[in-house]
Amino acid sequence: PFSIYERLRQTTPVRYDETRGCWDIFRYEDVHRILKDPATFSSKRSLERGNTVTILTMDPPRHSQMRALVNKAFTPKMVNDLAPRIESITSELLAAVQGKGQMDMVHDLATPLPVIIIAELLGVPAEDRQLFKEWSDALVKGSADSSAEAFERVMMEKDKATKELGAYFAKIIGQRRSQPKDDLISVLLSAEIEGEKLSDEEILGFSILLLAAGNETTTNLITNSVRRLTEDLALQQQLRNDPTQIKNFIEEALRFYPPIQAVSRIATEDIQIGGKQIMAGEQVVNWVASANRDEAQFTDPNTFIIDRKPNNHLSFGFGIHFCLGAPLARLEGLHAIRAILERLQDIQLAPEANLEFIESPFVYGVKAFPITFKA
Ligand code: HEM
């Protein structure tokens, strides 16, 4: 899509799309300014089917209070403490395929890793992991064909999974309330801001948000990064020789192949952006994937430069809704890529592979990524 974005940045950087009934914003400067101004560009949504109210769809002052509360639970220490687990799960997953000389990166590593980590973080007992994985898969599932029937079926599966997962978490929340453990749900139950605590319903909504916001995105971060490694074998070797550069590599992979392409807002008042008149109540879709390649912001935007400085990409959003899970996603990306480079040599896209992209316009990633390698 990146060459299309480039053309749109030049021809119609702010455009109204009649078919979808919303504005599209393609330049870095405009996207940045919109995300910086939650008073004029609200995150509130109408409550469609299955949508719950979470911090993602709140505005200040409620957002600020809730975000402060969940920040207390989602601390850098809590995330960093997960490093050994991320390492050992990655090792286990790679050990299972290492002897085969080939694997599907999406299926064998990039999907299970974030799901297992989130499950452990929340405090899902080991015996329930499989059940949990099926629900969270259903939650992020897109439909393979775009017919109305297929769409309807996927929506129903999602509704069902949300209900079952909801009942499951309600049970865990009840258990942790009487007997706290060392997990995120217990921390959320005890977290407090100015005497205010989260209700069971809010904790439930937040747990489901973590699954929905954190799993598929991290899967795509890992797969998109590996895809980049297969596109540049010299880079692959460079990172093997100097693993300290992997951190920067992940950052540039986030800019170059962003797992989320766009974030949406609703204008709360009439306002001009890029010379266009946006009216109160209209939807504004901010294309971070385009902003990340804006030549006005990044030199040589279509070149992958691992030590790009500064690299203020918008892949985790910007401002008050900046991704809560960014430190966790970065950590998982770092450990996954480090282990992959250590254990697998000469990683290449499998010769017969035919890359199929995920259909959603807001997600950037492939459905499967078969690779070959030498152990
Ligand atoms: C918010 C991207 C991983 C939890 C966001 C936003 C973006 C984003 C763009 C801002 C949305 C907006 O402004 O409307 C990503 C990407 C990820 C990732 C690219 C992986 C590479 C995660 C993970 C978690 C997570 C692992 C949790 C475990 C959240 C939450 C919010 C959020 C809770 C809402 C924050 C708020 O509204 O204050 N993410 N995310 N994300 N993300 Fe992530």
Side-chain angles (χ1 to χ4, degrees), residues 73-303:
F74 225 86
T75 58
K77 178 176 183 327
M78 191 129 183
V79 171
N80 283 326
D81 285 352
L82 290 167
R85 282 301 292 149
I86 297 174
E87 270 177 49
S88 68
I89 295 162
T90 309
S91 294
E92 262 171 55
L93 292 167
L94 284 177
V97 292
Q98 208 169 355
K100 297 182 184 161
Q102 59 184 56
M103 68 184 281
D104 172 14
M105 189 47 65
V106 176
H107 180 271
D108 298 333
L109 178 73
T111 304
L113 176 63
V115 175
I116 298 171
I117 291 295
I118 274 287
E120 292 194 4
L121 186 70
L122 286 166
V124 174
E127 65 267 24
D128 293 342
R129 296 272 156 75
Q130 186 52 35
L131 204 59
F132 179 85
K133 186 178 174 319
E134 282 162 24
W135 289 324
S136 46
D137 282 353
L139 226 57
V140 295
K141 203 160 140 193
S143 150
D145 62 292
S146 54
S147 69
E149 294 77 32
F151 180 75
E152 189 61 26
R153 197 180 57 244
V154 168
M155 287 308 286
M156 277 169 64
E157 281 173 19
K158 282 192 190 189
D159 276 359
K160 183 162 169 280
T162 309
K163 283 208 190 78
E164 290 175 356
L165 199 56
Y168 178 81
F169 272 124
K171 192 185 78 185
I172 300 220
I173 292 167
Q175 288 170 352
R176 296 297 183 277
R177 201 178 266 294
S178 50
Q179 213 175 8
K181 287 196 177 177
D182 184 21
D183 58 32
L184 186 64
I185 298 224
S186 305
V187 179
L188 286 171
L189 279 164
S190 65
E192 198 176 299
I193 289 253
E194 291 165 9
E196 195 196 8
K197 286 195 168 195
L198 294 171
S199 68
D200 283 15
E201 206 186 355
E202 285 169 331
I203 295 180
L204 183 73
F206 182 65
S207 307
I208 293 185
L209 173 64
L210 293 187
L211 300 180
N215 283 342
E216 194 186 20
T217 46
T218 309
T219 299
N220 287 325
L221 167 60
I222 294 171
T223 311
N224 293 350
S225 301
V226 173
R227 184 175 149 218
R228 188 62 220 169
L229 292 177
T230 63
E231 289 166 350
D232 186 344
L233 299 184
L235 174 65
Q236 209 178 108
Q237 206 44 48
Q238 184 189 340
L239 293 177
R240 262 192 208 97
N241 294 340
D242 182 6
T244 62
Q245 294 183 19
I246 297 175
K247 228 178 167 148
N248 287 336
F249 163 76
I250 297 282
E251 241 23 67
E252 181 67 344
L254 277 162
R255 181 189 74 86
F256 206 75
Y257 290 153
I260 292 185
Q261 299 207 50
V263 298
S264 182
R265 295 292 186 268
I266 307 282
T268 58
E269 54 188 75
D270 300 355
I271 182 156
Q272 289 237 343
I273 294 283
K276 301 280 176 173
Q277 184 66 46
I278 297 177
M279 307 300 279
E282 286 180 331
Q283 188 186 2
V284 182
V285 177
N286 301 285
W287 291 91
V288 297
S290 170
N292 282 352
R293 301 276 188 124
D294 190 337
E295 36 294 289
Q297 182 67 26
F298 299 97
T299 7
D300 273 340
N302 295 319
T303 310

Side-chain angles (χ1 to χ4, degrees), residues 35 43 45 55-56 63 67 74 118 206 209-210 213-214 217-218 221 254 259-260 263-265 314-317 320-326 328-329 332:
L35 296 183
S43 287
R45 312 277 145 86
I55 49 169
L56 189 62
H63 176 269
R67 174 83 191 220
F74 225 86
I118 274 287
F206 182 65
L209 173 64
L210 293 187
T217 46
T218 309
L221 167 60
L254 277 162
I260 292 185
V263 298
S264 182
R265 295 292 186 268
L314 299 177
S315 298
F316 287 123
I320 63 165
H321 290 279
F322 182 83
C323 178
L324 177 73
L328 178 57
E332 288 186 48

